[in-house]
Amino acid sequence: QVQLVESGGGLVQAGGSLRLSCAASGRLVNLNVMAWYRQTPGNERELVADITDDGRTNYADSVKDRFTISRDSAKNTVYLQMNSLKSEDTAVYYCRTFRRTSTYSTVGYWGRGTQVTISS
């Protein structure tokens, strides 16, 4: 089976920075994409950024030029560097790994989430 564990969440002042980590373990077969999502109470979970096994990245418009996603394939770990944080970034951040091709995507696996709170 596959397990994802997020870490690095916490309380940060507006304008500050935070780095999230997600370590994957288990049977990581054909799981070529790792991604970060976030969710606040009463709202849908939204994609923040994702990265493929060959380094292609994608970002939500709301975090472009502020957040950077990266991965260390040897460690099966994905990171999210968050800069210039705003109160709107407050949410539970979730890690996900899944398979995506030109024709389909799988549900994959989810972590349990880590809380990020921005004070103002």
Side-chain angles (χ1 to χ4, degrees):
Q1 300 293 81
V2 174
Q3 184 176 19
L4 301 175
V5 180
E6 301 98 335
S7 62
L11 177 63
V12 184
Q13 290 183 319
S17 298
L18 200 63
R19 189 194 194 211
L20 304 182
S21 298
C22 172
S25 62
R27 191 174 176 82
L28 307 175
V29 181
N30 295 324
L31 300 170
N32 63 319
V33 183
M34 299 191 79
W36 287 98
Y37 296 75
R38 64 188 182 187
Q39 186 172 28
T40 55
N43 298 110
E44 295 182 350
R45 191 169 298 183
E46 65 175 356
L47 175 69
V48 176
D50 61 47
I51 185 168
T52 64
D53 56 2
D54 58 354
R56 291 170 291 170
T57 58
N58 174 60
Y59 297 91
D61 289 341
S62 59
V63 306
K64 286 181 178 177
D65 302 318
R66 297 191 299 120
F67 291 10
T68 301
I69 189 170
S70 62
R71 67 186 296 164
D72 185 337
S73 296
K75 297 180 179 180
N76 294 317
T77 300
V78 64
Y79 306 93
L80 186 67
Q81 178 66 48
M82 304 185 292
N83 299 324
S84 301
L85 286 163
K86 308 173 181 179
S87 59
E88 304 95 281
D89 297 317
T90 294
V92 176
Y93 284 71
Y94 296 90
C95 179
R96 177 194 178 200
T97 184
F98 60 100
R99 177 171 172 78
R100 182 173 68 206
T101 72
S102 61
T103 57
Y104 73 93
S105 295
T106 67
V107 173
Y109 303 87
W110 293 86
R112 297 165 189 165
T114 185
Q115 177 70 48
V116 172
T117 302
I118 313 303
S119 62
S120 59

